[in-house]
Amino acid sequence: MTIMETDLHKLNVTDPFLGQYQRLVREVVIPYQWDALNDRIPEADPSHAIENFRIAAGLSEGEFYGMVFQDSDVAKWLEAVAWSLCQKPDAELEKTADEVIALVAAAQCDDGYLNTYFTIKAPAERWTNLAECHELYSAGHMIEAAVAYFQATGKRSLLEVACRLADYIDNVFGPGVNQLQGYDGHPEIELALMRLFEVTQETRYRDLVNFFVEQRGTQPHFYDKEFAQRGGTWFWPNHGTAWMVNDKAYSQAHLPLSEQQSAIGHAVRFVYLMTGVAHLARLSGNERLRQDCLRLWQNMAQRQLYITGGIGSQSRGEAFSSDYDLPNDTVYAESCASIGLMMFARRMLELEGDSQYADVMERALYNTVLGGMALDGKHFFYVNPLEIAPKSLKFNHIYDHIQPVRQRWFGCACCPPNIARLLTSIGHYIYTPRPDALFINLYIGNNVEIPVGDKPLRVRISGNYPWQESVEVRIDSPQPVQHTLALRLPEWCSDPQILLNGEAVQGEVRKGYMHLSRLWREGDTLSLTLPMPVHRVYGNPLVRSVAGKVAIQRGPLVYCLEEADNGEALHNVWLPKESEFRLVEGKGLFAHKVLIQAEGAKQIAAQPEQQQLWHFDTAPVTPEPHTLTFIPWFSWANRGEGEMRIWVNEG
């Protein structure tokens, strides 16, 4: 089915909440990350990413520095800039981006190859270690940036670089005798080539994606063949001998996709791969690939998804573990993984038109993705725990990956620019324009123009979502337009109410969307009431880490307790089953946000450090009344270091 991508030039985010984040990205994050890429932030880990391109282009002398995939940081920054320019033109920023693009073009080899690590440091080792070295991953991110910049500015310079690169890759890889019959250890090229195909309509790009997907996991195994050909050497030392080669499930290469039954391996790799597969399934009409997507989504969403929209429960391999294994304090839940989850959900929405994918997309956005960046736009989480006790972190090595506060930058800086490009392109997630209907997935305030035949359908969404329950959808089209609006009915809302021009309206509910078809006229107004009671959320009985505990959610937002409001020893806090919740208007840091309070209890002991470690028969604590204050989880760790937890004892 043809799906029209929303033109971000014709969409303006006006949302008081998400609009604030877009402004933050535009005014703070993009300039800050530009300084980081140029090593102008003394207290942050160095990047050297721009300098790598200068060296590769012959404009500077020096050695490559950074991760083998350091180029991708520049690509994601360019993509964030592109989408930002759609929202607000900025001649100076565009000039800077054009200069970076000229630098990237200068670093491209004559045959189309583009990768500063191999150009500078290991030119003889091209395509010799696909299992570990991210060549196609880095290429994919640059292709994504090229498509975005072309769509944003109409300029073809980076797009031409991307097409030369893609054409070169297509010559190198394939079923031919002299071609490499392999694939990258970090999926990304698949989703990128699908985007390039949509822009260029060059079928060889789509066919190449199909080759990569079908080749993955086949026997004899490509990783083993290239490992032998390079003499048994490996790139990453941290988990033992050639661990990326040997642990094939880590990169979803243990079996052909059609035989895989569960989400497994590195979480970001999984959702990046499946984003490309879902896109390919739709545009090729491949039913088998569609079934692969449905099956693997179901396993991930029903057995391996955190309440926060986080995925990847273990630090080793930044990976999934097993069904229902969802620890709160040692969780990884990389910010990039939730961004990839949103990308996968978006493509599944396009494939299926089912609100379950939008529900997960919303959960990831309003919790982990927003939580990955501080409210100042200059500090970031790579890992997103659901529970933290800072005093233990420096002593217990199971927490080596956990940070109690957000960091300035990272040696592996994939998450900050990923957050930036997601937030600047949020318009692509708000709507799914299908031939038969305009699907409204997220109730983010905006105005947009969508072509319906030869007429413009202009829609305006307003409200104070996710804090207030009222949302207004207004038609601003100057000419009447016959079309269908499909309004998502959120999973957390049991009694949504919809009025059209002040009167009750009957529509057809299909797959979680209310479909309303009519000749829409200027001034037509849909008034949505999405009641947002405070929900107690309980986990599946097979999830050990939440047994006997409850989480608090209002609307799409998951809430947590933080030490700044509730004191230390949050493990001794109890929320009685009969406690009622009250909404509190936030102040200061939480201005314009809704907090939640309830009366609970805290187990108190006099001078516990003076007591014996264990007590026979009599509990050493006494419950005392304690007012619990819950804050939106995405906003934790903005007041310094302290304890935090989402899942609270209930009794």
Side-chain angles (χ1 to χ4, degrees), residues 153-447:
T153 66
K155 296 177 179 178
R156 300 186 63 87
S157 52
L158 191 56
L159 188 68
E160 289 169 0
V161 169
C163 288
R164 285 184 65 209
L165 175 58
D167 292 345
Y168 167 73
I169 293 169
D170 187 51
N171 289 330
V172 172
F173 291 87
V177 175
N178 296 318
Q179 291 181 294
L180 281 176
Q181 295 168 22
Y183 43 87
D184 204 88
H186 196 312
E188 167 32 78
I189 191 67
E190 297 85 355
L191 70 91
L193 286 173
M194 290 307 301
R195 289 199 51 78
L196 189 61
F197 164 70
E198 282 201 303
V199 168
T200 65
Q201 290 299 299
E202 176 56 69
T203 57
R204 64 192 294 206
Y205 302 149
R206 182 192 62 198
D207 294 344
L208 183 56
V209 175
N210 190 72
F211 169 80
F212 285 137
V213 171
E214 296 296 338
Q215 196 68 21
R216 197 169 205 89
T218 58
Q219 297 293 333
H221 205 285
F222 176 72
Y223 290 178
D224 295 332
K225 289 192 290 185
E226 69 167 10
F227 182 64
Q229 287 170 356
R230 64 174 182 268
T233 61
W234 63 95
F235 189 85
W236 300 99
N238 44 333
H239 291 314
T241 303
W243 68 276
M244 277 194 191
V245 177
N246 295 323
D247 184 6
K248 295 179 175 61
Y250 171 76
S251 52
Q252 299 80 44
H254 56 304
L255 292 169
L257 192 66
S258 60
E259 298 177 26
Q260 295 185 29
Q261 299 301 316
S262 61
I264 196 168
H266 187 267
V268 176
R269 284 166 164 82
F270 174 81
V271 285
Y272 277 18
L273 173 64
M274 298 312 300
T275 297
V277 174
H279 204 171
L280 175 63
R282 178 173 63 82
L283 292 184
S284 65
N286 189 318
E287 177 62 19
R288 182 180 62 76
L289 290 180
R290 174 177 171 267
Q291 291 299 325
D292 293 340
C293 291
L294 292 172
R295 179 180 67 256
L296 293 171
W297 173 278
Q298 182 73 7
N299 174 264
M300 176 195 67
Q302 294 299 319
R303 300 186 177 201
Q304 300 198 70
L305 177 69
Y306 281 93
I307 189 175
T308 55
I311 52 173
S313 58
Q314 61 176 322
S315 64
R316 192 183 193 285
E318 305 173 325
F320 297 101
S321 56
S322 61
D323 291 355
Y324 305 110
D325 182 40
L326 295 168
N328 298 310
D329 57 346
T330 59
V331 55
Y332 207 80
E334 183 181 342
S335 297
C336 281
S338 286
I339 291 166
L341 176 62
M342 288 185 65
M343 293 160 59
F344 183 19
R346 175 192 171 191
R347 297 306 182 196
M348 291 301 293
L349 264 176
E350 294 171 349
L351 188 62
E352 298 294 303
D354 191 319
S355 69
Q356 66 173 301
Y357 306 109
D359 288 331
V360 170
M361 189 167 74
E362 181 182 67
R363 182 174 295 278
L365 171 64
Y366 281 99
N367 295 289
T368 297
V369 174
L370 292 186
M373 182 173 71
L375 300 178
D376 67 359
K378 296 182 179 180
H379 297 80
F380 304 89
F381 273 142
Y382 196 109
V383 174
N384 294 276
L386 282 72
E387 175 184 320
I388 190 167
K391 291 180 181 178
S392 299
L393 298 186
K394 66 180 71 175
F395 301 104
N396 191 333
H397 293 293
I398 66 171
Y399 302 120
D400 282 351
H401 58 294
I402 301 289
Q403 295 290 341
V405 293
R406 295 170 183 83
Q407 305 299 294
R408 283 280 193 180
W409 201 248
F410 306 96
C412 174
C414 53
C415 297
N418 225 359
I419 293 169
R421 71 173 183 145
L422 185 283
L423 291 175
T424 50
S425 65
I426 196 65
H428 288 152
Y429 299 82
I430 298 175
Y431 300 100
T432 305
R434 304 167 73 95
D436 58 334
L438 175 62
F439 280 63
I440 301 176
N441 308 314
L442 302 173
Y443 294 108
I444 296 170
N446 74 95
N447 49 70

Side-chain angles (χ1 to χ4, degrees), residues 115 122 139 359 389 452:
N115 188 295
D359 288 331
V452 178

